[in-house]
Amino acid sequence: MVRGKTQMKRIENASSRQVTFSKRRSGLLKKAFELSVLCDAEVALIIFSPSGRLYEFSSSSQMNNTIERYQKNAKTLASLRITEEVYVQKLKDEAADSYKKLEILEDAKRKLLGESIDSCSVAELVQIEDQLEKSLSKIRARKNTLFQEQIHQLKQQEVKLMKVNTDLKEKVSIELINYSLVSCVILKGVHETFIFFPPKKDFFVESQQS
């Protein structure tokens, strides 16, 4: 026969309630003993019957030692729980503060872009105008600085190119001088060769006959 599922509610019949209490109390005490032996755990169990009678089990020699240990750990856990709650609340506050700052920055950005200014007062519009003028002044100053740096770089490149051009001119001039000297030496050598080796007589005879 299959046992039905026990409903988790108070048993109205006093006799049935007492029988169930006795059975379940014995089973709970047995389980506590087995847990302490099998797992080498420190177990303490306290049960009060409906009539107020005390039933207890302790794996240690004294129940008070286990109770004191529990109280110390309970205080530590409570302190940690409080610390965790404070930390979580701090994070929430920081997140809310960051969100508010972000909203303010987004609103200021929209106003600087000329959006959402219908509700602005004259003083607010003057303040926005001053901020824009200051921003423009900084932008112009930065632009001028970049232009000056670019001009300086271009001048440096010009100086380098002029030096390279001058070096090339000098090199070409030296090459032309060397070429002229070599040409003179060759021509002089050819002239001396004709003088040193005069034409044969047959050459003149053949020339006259022709």
Side-chain angles (χ1 to χ4, degrees):
M1 183 176 178
V2 180
R3 292 180 59 186
K5 185 177 180 181
T6 303
Q7 294 182 356
M8 287 296 105
K9 66 178 184 179
R10 182 175 181 272
I11 300 173
E12 297 299 332
N13 186 274
S15 299
S16 299
R17 187 166 60 243
Q18 182 61 37
V19 172
T20 302
F21 172 77
S22 299
K23 290 181 179 179
R24 303 236 170 180
R25 179 201 64 205
S26 301
L28 188 58
L29 291 171
K30 181 180 178 182
K31 291 293 183 184
F33 172 74
E34 291 175 352
L35 179 64
S36 64
V37 174
L38 295 175
C39 302
D40 194 22
E42 185 176 352
V43 180
L45 177 63
I46 299 175
I47 302 173
F48 287 97
S49 68
S51 60
R53 185 176 178 182
L54 172 64
Y55 300 90
E56 64 179 36
F57 168 80
S58 176
S59 60
S60 63
S61 57
Q62 305 238 347
M63 171 74 77
N64 290 335
N65 294 336
T66 305
I67 294 175
E68 288 177 2
R69 184 179 178 184
Y70 164 76
Q71 290 174 343
K72 289 180 181 179
N73 281 274
K75 289 181 180 179
T76 303
L77 289 174
S79 177
L80 290 174
R81 192 177 297 108
I82 292 172
T83 304
E84 182 180 357
E85 290 175 356
V86 171
Y87 179 70
V88 171
Q89 186 61 41
K90 182 180 178 182
L91 290 178
K92 289 181 179 179
D93 294 339
E94 290 179 354
D97 186 56
S98 299
Y99 182 74
K100 289 181 181 178
K101 290 180 179 178
L102 182 62
E103 284 186 337
I104 293 172
L105 290 174
E106 289 291 338
D107 184 60
K109 177 184 175 182
R110 286 192 295 269
K111 290 179 180 179
L112 289 174
L113 292 174
E115 301 173 358
S116 303
I117 59 174
D118 295 337
S119 60
C120 293
S121 63
V122 176
E124 289 176 339
L125 292 174
V126 171
Q127 184 180 4
I128 294 171
E129 186 179 9
D130 292 339
Q131 290 178 351
L132 289 173
E133 289 179 353
K134 290 179 181 179
S135 299
L136 285 174
S137 299
K138 291 180 180 180
I139 291 171
R140 292 191 184 102
R142 179 56 182 165
K143 183 181 69 175
N144 292 332
T145 301
L146 291 175
F147 280 157
Q148 293 296 329
E149 291 177 355
Q150 290 179 357
I151 291 171
H152 180 68
Q153 291 176 357
L154 290 173
K155 286 183 177 180
Q156 287 182 338
Q157 292 179 0
E158 182 183 7
V159 171
K160 291 179 180 179
L161 290 174
M162 290 178 65
K163 185 177 183 304
V164 171
N165 191 23
T166 302
D167 294 340
L168 287 174
K169 286 182 178 179
E170 292 178 357
K171 186 176 180 181
V172 170
S173 299
I174 294 172
E175 292 291 337
L176 289 174
I177 292 171
N178 292 334
Y179 179 76
S180 299
L181 292 174
V182 171
S183 299
C184 291
V185 170
I186 292 173
L187 290 174
K188 184 178 179 182
V190 171
H191 181 66
E192 290 177 353
T193 302
F194 280 107
I195 295 173
F196 185 77
F197 299 103
K200 295 182 180 180
K201 292 181 180 181
D202 296 339
F203 174 77
F204 293 101
V205 174
E206 291 176 359
S207 296
Q208 290 176 358
Q209 290 176 357
S210 64

